[in-house]
Amino acid sequence: MIHLVGLTKRYGDFTALDDVSLDIRRGETLALLGPNGSGKSTVLKCIAGLTLPTKGKVEIDGNASCSDPRRSISYLPQQIDFHKCLTAGEVLEFYCRLRRLPLSRIDDVLHHSEFDFNGFSAKPISQLSGGMVQRLGLAVACIPDAPVLLLDEPTVSLDPKGAVTFRKFLAQLKSRGTTIVFTSHLLADVDALADRVAILVNGRLVAAESIDRLKSELAASGSTIEDIYLKYAEAV
């Protein structure tokens, strides 16, 4: 489905990604883990075609990811910024038109899913809390019903109830065969959603293993996820 081949991204003298190769299977949910600055967000941006690699390539079903990502990919960045004068409903309508989708998709997302806007859709963005803006970003990402969903720290601003609700919604998408790649520092997200975990350290892919194996390793050693990072970092 998604193939990363020798993916390298440099910004001047800084190497954000260093020869990363990884295959992501159709319908798989993959969690990208790693310390801050390890290259997780850069991987998502390269898959989405928002950042061009310095070397290597990204292919989705044999095609370059940047050819026309609107039809196959939906992407939620880590930092969400909407125009403060627009209402949540106007933001959704804008992205619906940008994607050339029927406006009925807005109702599908808001009223026939796990999302709960509590009447906030008519309020300007400037009056929404950080958690509500995060929910709006998640709704925008889900409007296209794309076969590939890329999420960068999707539950970072959500309260515990909102995070649980979102995991249920993502589980629905997963059951329909959506390929999901997400970053997170929260083991609850990884535990509930991921089939496989890829660990990045200093821009290098140091491990890619099933979530069951990772949990077994943690349980057997009494380690934390931070311990796992350090273990792989020392091996680089």
Side-chain angles (χ1 to χ4, degrees), residues 172-222:
Q172 292 176 0
L173 297 181
K174 180 178 177 179
S175 68
R176 301 208 305 257
T178 303
T179 302
I180 302 169
V181 185
F182 71 97
T183 73
S184 182
H185 291 287
L186 302 177
L187 275 181
D189 289 347
V190 178
D191 188 21
L193 298 169
D195 299 310
R196 198 159 50 109
V197 174
I199 299 177
L200 293 164
V201 177
N202 295 328
R204 297 185 63 185
L205 179 67
V206 297
E209 56 188 47
S210 72
I211 183 62
D212 291 337
R213 181 175 176 182
L214 179 62
K215 289 194 296 185
S216 296
E217 186 173 348
L218 289 171
S221 63

Side-chain angles (χ1 to χ4, degrees), residues 22-211:
L22 180 67
D23 288 338
I24 303 168
R25 297 181 287 270
R26 187 183 304 277
E28 180 178 37
T29 299
L30 177 77
L32 294 175
L33 301 182
N36 292 333
S38 59
K40 304 184 300 295
S41 296
T42 304
V43 168
L44 294 186
K45 290 177 182 178
C46 286
I47 294 174
L50 298 174
T51 294
L52 296 178
T54 305
K55 189 172 67 172
K57 61 182 179 178
V58 178
E59 291 185 350
I60 299 176
D61 282 341
N63 299 312
S65 66
C66 59
S67 58
D68 188 7
R70 291 179 306 176
R71 296 185 180 277
S72 59
I73 295 174
S74 195
Y75 166 67
L76 177 73
Q78 186 174 12
Q79 295 182 333
I80 304 170
D81 188 16
F82 299 118
H83 198 290
K84 300 297 187 293
C85 293
L86 295 177
T87 66
E90 289 170 337
V91 168
L92 289 166
E93 181 176 343
F94 170 78
Y95 282 97
C96 208
R97 294 185 185 278
L98 183 67
R99 289 278 194 161
R100 301 175 186 173
L101 297 170
L103 296 182
S104 60
R105 276 297 300 161
I106 297 175
D107 287 336
D108 291 341
V109 171
L110 295 187
H111 303 302
H112 303 291
S113 72
E114 296 285 348
F115 288 110
D116 178 13
F117 273 79
N118 298 317
F120 279 87
S121 60
K123 288 191 175 183
I125 302 300
S126 60
Q127 296 181 18
L128 299 185
S129 67
M132 290 306 298
V133 171
Q134 183 74 9
R135 290 190 188 200
L136 178 59
L138 293 168
V140 168
C142 292
I143 278 180
D145 197 20
V148 177
L149 185 59
L150 309 175
L151 304 170
D152 200 348
E153 298 283 352
T155 59
V156 66
S157 297
L158 298 180
D159 57 32
K161 180 180 178 181
V164 170
T165 299
F166 176 67
R167 291 183 200 118
K168 290 180 180 178
F169 177 71
L170 221 59
Q172 292 176 0
L173 297 181
K174 180 178 177 179
S175 68
R176 301 208 305 257
T178 303
T179 302
I180 302 169
V181 185
F182 71 97
T183 73
S184 182
H185 291 287
L186 302 177
L187 275 181
D189 289 347
V190 178
D191 188 21
L193 298 169
D195 299 310
R196 198 159 50 109
V197 174
I199 299 177
L200 293 164
V201 177
N202 295 328
R204 297 185 63 185
L205 179 67
V206 297
E209 56 188 47
S210 72
I211 183 62

